[in-house]
Amino acid sequence: MIRLCVFDLDGTLSDTLESIALYGNEALRECGYPAEIPTDRFRYLVGEGVDVLIARMLREAGVPEEQSPEDTARLREAFLRRYTQEPLRMARAYDGVAEMLRVLRDRGIRLAILSNKPHDLVRPVVSHLFADIPFACCYGQREGVPRKPDPQGLLQILEELGIPKEDCLYVGDTGVDMQTGRRAGVRTVGVLWGFRDQKELQETGADAIVCSPKELLPLCGDGAFLQKELNENR
């Protein structure tokens, strides 16, 4: 019986690609880098925390590898300053996600979020887009907790809520998410409406892949994964 669903945020519950691209390109220009990164390219730059995003932005913009730590820190500050000032700009919930969360809530399934987005930016987005959803906990990247795909953050949620691994699903849109769930010993579900494709999710070991939020619901019933595995092995 699934008693807890833990979700990634960006690319899984909320579409924030345009806001990330906007702030990323504005920060590049402020720091004197003239290159403009196409919005669609950001879907392959995000997912592993802000420090990795900044490094990938610099490479994508053709900036020489020998950039000083000071230059990198300046770009990071410029990006986060913009994001912190307007974390909700151009952010939206994916179609059908809020309805799916309400169904899970009404079934008595607990809900949580584990994101590599900076922790201080997670709550404003969640509170605005999903104001009526009672998430048991919402965690972004925090000091002292390794970012995904390290499983520590997910394991902490399980311990905090007193939920065994076998009663939990981890839901995300990237290979990092699938690796996080598998390393924690939790079944994983990959979603295809987010930032990455089916090939990446399959190669990183997704237990199931869904094309729409409503397709997640049958996987949260009694014995759903067991029946799925039996059907696939016939």
Side-chain angles (χ1 to χ4, degrees):
M1 180 66 179
I2 299 303
R3 298 168 54 200
L4 170 68
C5 285
V6 183
F7 294 89
D8 173 51
L9 183 58
D10 294 344
T12 301
L13 300 181
S14 59
D15 184 356
T16 53
L17 189 64
E18 290 188 4
S19 57
I20 292 170
L22 173 68
Y23 295 142
N25 282 316
E26 285 183 351
L28 284 168
R29 288 193 295 272
E30 178 183 320
C31 294
Y33 305 116
E36 181 92 2
I37 301 173
T39 296
D40 199 59
R41 281 296 302 159
F42 275 88
R43 69 177 63 249
Y44 303 103
L45 306 183
V46 300
E48 296 188 57
V50 67
D51 291 332
V52 175
L53 170 62
I54 295 302
R56 288 174 176 170
M57 281 170 51
L58 288 168
R59 287 198 298 271
E60 191 75 18
V63 177
E65 293 282 344
E66 59 271 15
Q67 287 295 299
S68 70
E70 291 78 15
D71 288 336
T72 301
R74 191 161 61 94
L75 180 60
R76 184 183 191 276
E77 187 279 330
F79 174 77
L80 287 178
R81 174 171 17 95
R82 286 168 167 77
Y83 217 141
T84 302
Q85 288 171 349
E86 281 191 277
L88 303 176
R89 186 174 180 184
M90 304 172 78
R92 68 177 188 88
Y94 285 106
D95 292 343
V97 161
E99 293 81 358
M100 173 266 293
L101 293 173
R102 292 185 190 109
V103 171
L104 294 176
R105 173 201 64 192
D106 293 344
R107 288 183 183 178
I109 295 174
R110 303 186 77 180
L111 307 172
I113 289 174
L114 178 64
S115 172
N116 272 342
K117 194 184 197 79
H119 183 66
D120 290 343
L121 297 178
V122 168
R123 176 53 65 182
V125 173
V126 173
S127 297
H128 178 74
L129 297 181
F130 308 106
D132 64 327
I133 305 299
F135 288 100
C137 50
C138 297
Y139 292 132
Q141 188 174 356
R142 294 166 288 158
E143 190 73 29
V145 180
R147 60 180 172 82
K148 299 181 295 183
D150 189 289
Q152 183 175 329
L154 182 51
L155 292 172
Q156 285 184 353
I157 289 175
L158 293 171
E159 182 178 2
E160 179 179 335
L161 300 181
I163 303 290
K165 297 176 182 180
E166 58 269 23
D167 292 350
C168 176
L169 291 185
Y170 186 73
V171 185
D173 69 306
T174 72
V176 167
D177 294 314
M178 302 305 99
Q179 292 165 0
T180 302
R182 294 189 71 82
R183 292 178 184 182
V186 169
R187 289 190 174 101
T188 60
V189 179
V191 306
L192 292 180
W193 58 81
F195 295 164
R196 305 291 173 81
D197 59 20
Q198 184 168 344
K199 182 174 182 289
E200 177 173 321
L201 297 172
Q202 289 173 330
E203 289 178 347
T204 49
D207 292 299
I209 296 175
V210 296
C211 297
S212 67
K214 66 181 180 182
E215 291 182 15
L216 179 66
L217 298 175
L219 299 177
C220 297
D222 285 331
F225 266 100
L226 176 59
Q227 186 60 51
K228 174 180 179 291
E229 291 161 4
L230 289 173
N231 290 339
E232 290 176 348
N233 289 328
R234 281 176 182 168

